[in-house]
Amino acid sequence: TFQLRGYTTHTSKLFSKNEVDSNIYCDNLIQSPISVRYYPLSGENADYVGMADIYRKYLIEKYGLADKSSDISLNINILGGTMITKSFLGIPYNSLYKATTLNEASEIVADIFQNIDSDISIKLKGYGTSGVDVGEIGNGFKLSDKLGDKDDLDSLVDLCKKNNSDVYMDFDLIRYSKGGNGFSAYFSSVTNVAGQKAYQYLFDKAVKDKQEESMYYILSPEKFSDAAERLVKKTQKYSMQGYSLDTFSTILY
């Protein structure tokens, strides 16, 4: 099936307490032609490996992609922290749990360098103010002081430079659960075709439903450049070789 227009399901409550769902479609239509190409698979090639092989050949022939990649063969993802709920005198509050500090990350990377003879790429994920969880745009554009400081990051970067390897810190420029750094939930987030806030939720695989307490917003595309400029400006003091933008390159809306 093809969904040519985006839509949102709007629920109307009637006087009889009945609810009626109706789809509200966006106005813009896709004008470009749509086609489907079929590749029959047979025998031992009739599996996911065969599909991947045909798709790889298609990309090489159609778009001139290289037959072999020159990317770094070993990529290390190190997770910094996550938000947990604690209690003080019976009052619950959120706190960042330290999974891997920057000093511990340096120890891990140093051990890897001692055991392999290859360039590696290290991605630091969850080292902002909300860890791996959704918080402010760009995770506050700063390091969490619970996970380390600028000197700790500089030490890790220097270690990697000596071993011809790179360090990247991941920043979420798409999802946010609270305003800050010039981005508000009311003015900066996306709305659906019904004009309502397009609330998003994390999915709970155990119960196959959304987690109500995980509600967050997604940034309006017209704010992307502003978010990127703020990221570069606020992180110039850090000595990373570059940025990782996972959600920016994996979420389409």
Side-chain angles (χ1 to χ4, degrees), residues 37-41 45 47-67:
R37 181 176 296 185
Y38 292 93
Y39 292 89
L41 301 175
N45 295 325
D47 55 17
Y48 285 107
V49 176
M51 292 171 58
D53 185 53
I54 287 181
Y55 186 55
R56 179 172 55 251
K57 292 179 180 178
Y58 166 76
L59 293 177
I60 293 173
E61 296 172 359
K62 180 71 175 180
Y63 297 103
L65 270 67
D67 188 17

Side-chain angles (χ1 to χ4, degrees), residues 17 179 201 240:
K17 295 184 179 181
Y201 301 87
M240 299 169 295

Side-chain angles (χ1 to χ4, degrees), residues 143-154:
L143 285 170
S144 169
D145 54 8
K146 290 187 176 182
L147 299 172
D149 55 23
K150 181 180 180 300
D151 291 338
D152 298 327
L153 179 60
D154 290 343

Side-chain angles (χ1 to χ4, degrees), residues 42-221:
S42 62
E44 295 180 355
N45 295 325
D47 55 17
Y48 285 107
V49 176
M51 292 171 58
D53 185 53
I54 287 181
Y55 186 55
R56 179 172 55 251
K57 292 179 180 178
Y58 166 76
L59 293 177
I60 293 173
E61 296 172 359
K62 180 71 175 180
Y63 297 103
L65 270 67
D67 188 17
K68 294 184 179 180
S69 174
S70 59
D71 292 344
I72 294 175
S73 58
L74 182 57
N75 296 277
I76 308 297
N77 294 337
I78 302 179
L79 303 181
T82 184
M83 300 301 295
I84 61 174
T85 301
K86 290 186 175 182
S87 178
F88 178 73
L89 298 178
I91 302 175
Y93 68 96
N94 293 327
S95 177
L96 183 66
Y97 172 79
K98 296 183 294 183
T100 314
T101 66
L102 286 171
N103 287 331
E104 292 170 340
S106 294
E107 295 175 1
I108 294 171
V109 172
D111 186 59
I112 293 174
F113 285 137
Q114 290 179 357
N115 289 277
I116 67 169
D117 184 19
S118 173
D119 299 344
I120 66 175
S121 175
I122 298 108
K123 180 174 70 176
L124 302 175
K125 188 176 181 66
Y127 280 83
T129 54
S130 56
V132 296
D133 300 278
V134 181
E136 293 184 33
I137 282 290
N139 308 107
F141 299 124
K142 63 180 180 180
L143 285 170
S144 169
D145 54 8
K146 290 187 176 182
L147 299 172
D149 55 23
K150 181 180 180 300
D151 291 338
D152 298 327
L153 179 60
D154 290 343
S155 297
L156 174 59
V157 172
D158 290 341
L159 172 64
C160 293
K161 284 182 177 179
K162 292 177 182 178
N163 290 273
N164 300 315
S165 298
D166 299 325
V167 178
Y168 304 92
M169 184 175 293
D170 185 69
F171 293 91
D172 191 342
L173 299 186
I174 299 296
R175 308 175 305 166
Y176 65 111
S177 59
K178 57 182 179 180
N181 280 301
F183 301 98
S184 69
Y186 186 80
F187 294 105
S188 305
S189 64
V190 169
T191 58
N192 58 32
V193 294
Q196 301 170 329
K197 289 299 174 186
Y199 299 119
Q200 304 295 305
Y201 301 87
L202 298 180
F203 187 76
D204 192 332
K205 296 180 180 179
V207 298
K208 297 182 179 181
D209 198 2
K210 62 185 180 182
Q211 301 176 13
E212 292 290 345
E213 69 278 4
S214 68
M215 187 191 78
Y216 63 91
Y217 312 94
I218 49 179
L219 189 67
S220 173

